[in-house]
Amino acid sequence: MRKTAFLFPGQGAQNVGMGRSFYEKYDAVRQYFKTAQEVTGIDVASLCFEENEALNQTEYTQIAMYTTECAILNVLQEKGIPYEAAAGLSLGEYAALTAAGALPFKDGCYVIRRRGIYMEQAVPEGQGSMAAVLGLSAKQTEEVLKTSLDTAKIGIANYNCPGQIVISGEKGEVERAAEVLKQAGAKRVVPLRVSGPFHSPLLYGAGEQLQKELEKISFNKIRIPYIANLTAEYVTDSKEIPELLRKQVYSPVRFEQTLRKLITDGFDTFIEIGPGRTLTGFVKKTAKEMQCEGITCINIEKEEDLSQLITE
């Protein structure tokens, strides 16, 4: 019997047209977009479906991604697709919380809108950056940052999968880190096209602002196990969620560790819900490094992708 986890991508996977095929077919999906607009004042359908520059701006990207992911999630739930755990990358953790039953969609829209604004405004444009470190282990990257750079200004943002770490911080410090990391053996250090130094110490203030909003939310009991980015551990008590989400803003996302835990616990089917195939790639690389075979990955990005669930 297969054991399934739902995975939700984060910022950077967005694309124009995401969710449209579901929107056109399902009344419930249209209601999700309507609710998001009512809560935020943003025409989320137009944001997702029409060519625009706002979709790639953090304060708008986040509500667009969250709405799309939760709307598709609802379709899978209505079709009775079973899952035994949920996890998400950064922003995707909020959709995972909704999948876990802990975060009502309307409340999620409220807090996601403010999260996007606080993260966008945390550091003046052009002063922060992020870069992907390829071909160097997490331990080596950690050691280089600790011994050669100012850890108050730079840190690891994401543990994505074996051989892929993302660093984040002040622009100059990230540029210096790139040179030092290449000297230490990194194959490449690739600057990322982002609007801020996310999951770095520079976003501490954004986390503190977000905490005030999280305190307004009444989280429900967790019905489906979910794994937090901060700890890569299952969360069973919804009272822990606000603190985990506050710290998540300026702390590393431990996604590789999350995948390792799920695979070790016997999960063999991973369904990525939302745009792109980024997380599928992470699953495959992690499973390969763990020498684990028999892993199935499914992407549900368009309505036609649902046929994969019928045939599996």
Side-chain angles (χ1 to χ4, degrees):
M1 186 173 181
R2 304 200 72 86
K3 196 172 181 182
T4 300
F6 281 0
L7 303 180
F8 300 89
Q11 194 170 329
Q14 71 275 3
N15 60 64
V16 175
M18 63 182 185
R20 185 165 198 156
S21 59
F22 288 96
Y23 184 90
E24 292 174 344
K25 184 167 182 176
Y26 298 98
D27 289 337
V29 169
R30 290 191 286 275
Q31 184 58 52
Y32 268 75
F33 280 81
K34 181 180 179 182
T35 298
Q37 181 172 351
E38 291 172 349
V39 173
T40 66
I42 298 169
D43 185 344
V44 182
S46 295
L47 179 63
C48 289
F49 306 151
E50 299 175 7
E51 290 288 346
N52 65 90
E53 295 182 0
L55 184 60
N56 294 319
Q57 296 173 12
T58 296
E59 65 169 293
Y60 297 107
T61 307
Q62 296 196 10
I63 187 60
M65 287 284 291
Y66 177 69
T67 301
T68 299
E69 292 174 7
C70 288
I72 299 174
L73 165 68
N74 177 257
V75 173
L76 269 61
Q77 290 173 326
E78 288 298 309
K79 290 184 177 296
I81 305 302
Y83 60 104
E84 289 74 43
L89 178 71
S90 187
L91 166 69
E93 182 169 350
Y94 287 78
L97 277 164
T98 299
L103 178 61
F105 176 68
K106 189 173 182 179
D107 290 336
C109 290
Y110 171 84
V111 74
I112 280 290
R113 172 60 177 150
R114 281 148 186 82
R115 181 182 187 269
I117 292 172
Y118 298 151
M119 290 177 68
E120 183 79 48
Q121 296 176 346
V123 178
E125 186 175 356
Q127 292 188 18
S129 67
M130 301 176 71
V133 182
L134 307 178
L136 205 62
S137 72
K139 186 175 182 180
Q140 289 172 304
T141 303
E142 290 168 350
E143 188 63 24
V144 169
L145 296 185
K146 181 180 178 181
T147 58
S148 304
L149 296 140
D150 186 347
T151 52
K153 298 178 180 179
I154 189 173
I156 290 179
N158 296 65
Y159 296 87
N160 285 335
C161 63
Q164 186 181 130
I165 303 292
V166 176
I167 57 174
S168 178
E170 285 190 359
K171 186 176 181 180
E173 204 71 3
V174 171
E175 290 172 349
R176 283 191 288 275
E179 295 306 314
V180 178
L181 288 165
K182 282 186 281 190
Q183 291 172 10
K187 293 179 181 178
R188 287 192 298 158
V189 180
V190 184
L192 302 181
R193 296 179 63 183
V194 294
S195 58
F198 306 134
H199 299 290
S200 80
L202 302 183
L203 263 72
Y204 180 84
E208 296 302 295
Q209 288 179 293
L210 183 64
Q211 181 182 20
K212 297 175 183 178
E213 308 296 349
L214 291 167
E215 290 172 352
K216 301 174 184 178
I217 305 298
S218 295
F219 290 93
N220 297 329
K221 183 179 179 180
I222 297 169
R223 293 186 291 103
I224 302 291
Y226 101 96
I227 299 182
N229 283 182
L230 185 73
T231 62
E233 297 288 346
Y234 295 108
V235 181
T236 57
D237 186 351
S238 59
K239 292 179 182 178
E240 299 175 19
I241 295 172
E243 182 71 0
L244 290 168
L245 294 180
R246 176 181 74 85
K247 291 181 177 179
Q248 186 235 50
V249 173
Y250 56 85
S251 302
V253 172
R254 300 180 182 278
F255 203 72
E256 178 186 339
Q257 294 90 328
T258 294
L259 295 177
R260 286 179 177 274
K261 187 168 192 64
L262 288 167
I263 293 170
T264 299
D265 289 348
F267 284 86
D268 55 9
T269 302
F270 295 86
I271 300 178
E272 182 173 2
I273 299 172
R277 295 174 177 269
T278 302
L279 304 188
T280 294
F282 294 165
V283 172
K284 291 178 179 178
K285 289 179 181 178
T286 303
K288 182 179 180 180
E289 202 272 342
M290 293 176 69
Q291 298 183 334
C292 183
E293 299 179 353
I295 299 293
T296 298
C297 295
I298 299 172
N299 297 81
I300 305 297
E301 180 174 4
K302 299 179 180 179
E303 199 276 336
E304 63 211 48
D305 295 332
L306 293 175
S307 62
Q308 299 175 78
L309 300 175
I310 297 172
T311 57
E312 285 296 328

